[in-house]
Amino acid sequence: MKMFSRRSLVAAGCAVAMGIGSMTAAFAATEVDLILTNGKIATVDAQNNFVTTVVVDKGRILATGDASIASGYTASKTLDLGGKTVLPGFVDNHVHPGPREPLVAPGEVDLVHAYTWAENEKALREAVKKLPPGVWLRANAFRRYFTDAEPATVWINEDVKKIPTRQMLDKVVPNNPLIVRASQLVVANSLALRMFGITKDTPQPAAGDGKIEKDANGEPTGVLWYSVGDAIEAFAPPLPPTPKLSARDEFLGYKDFFVNMRHLGVTSLNIAAANQYTLRLYQNLQGEFKGELPRMTVQPGLRAEDFDALQKNLAALEGYGWHTGAGNEWVKLGAIKMFLDGGYTFSRPWPINSEPHKHVETYKGGWRSEPDYFYHVFKRAHKLGWQLGIHSAGDEASVIITNVLERVIKESPREDHRHHLIHVEVGPPEATYQKMKELGIGVALQPNFTYGLQPFFSLALKGEQLARNNPARTILDHGLKLTFGSDERPYGPMYGLYAAVTRRGADGKVYGPEEAITLQQAIRAYTIDAAWQTFDEKTRGSIEPGKVADFAVLSDDIFTIDPLKIKDLTVLQTIINGRIFDTPAGLPNYYHPVQQPRK
């Protein structure tokens, strides 16, 4: 018979006691930080499942399911959703952070919010009262986007005959040279035209990147496109400089931007065209305001407009010492951002398109970087492990960029590079779509453009290019990875979801209904698929165990309301890393630039 010492018996007794304690603990409820319950929670998992309850601890999702899963936990905080709809926190694929910008520079007349001619006339009359005759007057009607609260103005009209003429300006401002900047065009009164030297006999620009609009008698109307508008602005006396913010005010201005993105339900965002200064600024923001701001993926911006810029940026690539993915879940590096062409709100260059501008028949766009230089930057960045995200608005630009990427990828094959084109406002030819599919090139689209930039599209495009702008359905039908974002025109995922599903412009008309996608597809493009673009689909973008606890609680059920009301939905609460942030009552569903609803 084996004998046991007193010590071994005591030890055995302790072990039994510990076992009993462990069994008791196993049946006790687990303490967690947060339980969301009684909601309609769209997980956006592979099956697009819905649950009613989510358990969160230490910033991560522990469990999802029906109400019964909550019985195994006790929470420091329980959020009863009262049947509200919850989506994964939105992942915006394209933002431009910064402090609130003044809409007009010092010395300019603000016509941004003057919608009718009577409102414009009143503002100009008030301004000219303060000027002696002969002094230049400059006005700004530059609009970045249009919404119900910010309707189209008299300066942006697809029928150029309805744009104010020099004769209309002469009646208001007869004795001072006057120019009005309105995005793609400048309108000048007769005195400004005469001082600049534009008359009936002035020929059109030989370069073809501008135009002097003339009436049936050959007289200039005052509407000046692209290079001509740029030239008369350069001829006019310069405006006073805009006062600079202090370093601290600038820092807090950036913080304010990110807080407002959070109020829109955005919990992760992709920052386009950053530099080393702003990268450090974002790191400092996340350090000072830990857990309060959306997660940031930062795209370094590189240019290749000439040989010197090419050499400088190749050296910058070598000097980074890291590549896409470096950082942590709050601030990390994303794709190299580069530009080939321009955009529809630019004075120029305009997107490189196969069809000319509707009203500037000699102009099909302009380079921002040379394709031959692109190749060298693409090749080196690709070899160093960088992802590439290239601005491409026009159809010809997409053809050019895809061909350059094809050369780079075939010379140096690399798995899962996730290179992508940004914008693709006019879809490329079928052969390019096929090539993009073969190469694994995705598209970072901003569907809100169809709504917010519709007057610009209608001003510049015609036919199929106008109807099928921002071609989400065609992109998906070709099997390409599609992600959504905003690019500030305007900010707010609801605008993008609305436009992607309804295809309605700011004028209420439906553009290219065949390019509409389903609501589920649109939500995936703004959550899990946008997370894929930044290599984050395993940790965010859907509501599944193990992922970060990032959610957006909506004011109404986006899955059952009339699709025409999607743009009016608001986010009641945004949850980042399990921390709940209430949206202030009455906050407008846009932020930057500061544009207030019409009163």
Side-chain angles (χ1 to χ4, degrees), residues 412-465:
S412 305
R414 195 179 105 200
E415 292 295 324
D416 202 25
H417 51 73
R418 305 194 190 186
H419 300 327
H420 53 277
L421 304 187
I422 300 169
H423 302 314
V424 189
E425 294 166 56
V426 175
E430 176 65 23
T432 298
Y433 276 124
Q434 294 290 348
K435 189 176 293 186
M436 291 170 68
K437 172 63 176 175
E438 294 168 6
L439 297 171
I441 297 171
V443 177
L445 202 73
Q446 290 71 47
N448 47 300
F449 286 5
T450 295
Y451 171 64
L453 298 188
Q454 172 269 312
F456 288 121
F457 289 149
S458 296
L459 180 70
L461 300 173
K462 56 187 176 182
E464 283 289 289
Q465 291 196 335

Side-chain angles (χ1 to χ4, degrees), residues 335-481:
I336 293 289
K337 168 74 183 298
M338 297 190 71
F339 302 82
L340 180 62
D341 60 353
Y344 292 94
T345 56
F346 290 21
S347 61
R348 66 184 177 116
W350 188 70
I352 301 172
N353 245 350
S354 58
E355 297 293 328
H357 188 289
K358 185 189 296 183
H359 300 296
V360 189
E361 300 83 357
T362 59
Y363 192 51
K364 295 185 178 182
W367 304 109
R368 298 179 77 185
S369 295
E370 289 293 333
D372 288 344
Y373 294 155
F374 258 41
Y375 164 74
H376 297 287
V377 179
F378 284 11
K379 181 176 181 178
R380 190 59 189 147
H382 178 79
K383 282 191 172 183
L384 288 171
W386 285 95
Q387 179 190 23
L388 292 163
I390 314 302
H391 173 116
S392 173
D395 60 347
E396 284 295 311
S398 292
V399 172
I400 293 165
I401 292 169
T402 299
N403 289 341
V404 176
L405 283 172
E406 178 186 33
R407 182 180 173 190
V408 168
I409 293 169
K410 288 187 174 180
E411 288 176 349
S412 305
R414 195 179 105 200
E415 292 295 324
D416 202 25
H417 51 73
R418 305 194 190 186
H419 300 327
H420 53 277
L421 304 187
I422 300 169
H423 302 314
V424 189
E425 294 166 56
V426 175
E430 176 65 23
T432 298
Y433 276 124
Q434 294 290 348
K435 189 176 293 186
M436 291 170 68
K437 172 63 176 175
E438 294 168 6
L439 297 171
I441 297 171
V443 177
L445 202 73
Q446 290 71 47
N448 47 300
F449 286 5
T450 295
Y451 171 64
L453 298 188
Q454 172 269 312
F456 288 121
F457 289 149
S458 296
L459 180 70
L461 300 173
K462 56 187 176 182
E464 283 289 289
Q465 291 196 335
L466 172 60
R468 305 189 72 151
N469 66 79
N470 302 292
R473 167 57 56 198
T474 299
I475 291 166
L476 286 178
D477 285 350
H478 281 87
L480 305 181
K481 185 66 77 171

Side-chain angles (χ1 to χ4, degrees), residues 33-78:
D33 295 331
L34 174 67
I35 295 177
L36 280 66
T37 187
N38 191 26
K40 182 177 180 179
I41 302 171
T43 66
V44 195
D45 62 8
Q47 292 76 39
N48 288 321
N49 286 317
F50 288 82
V51 298
T52 65
T53 307
V54 177
V55 180
V56 173
D57 193 48
K58 295 179 175 60
R60 294 294 187 272
I61 299 168
L62 288 186
T64 64
D66 59 25
S68 65
I69 68 166
S71 62
Y73 303 91
T74 59
S76 301
K77 184 176 182 62
T78 297

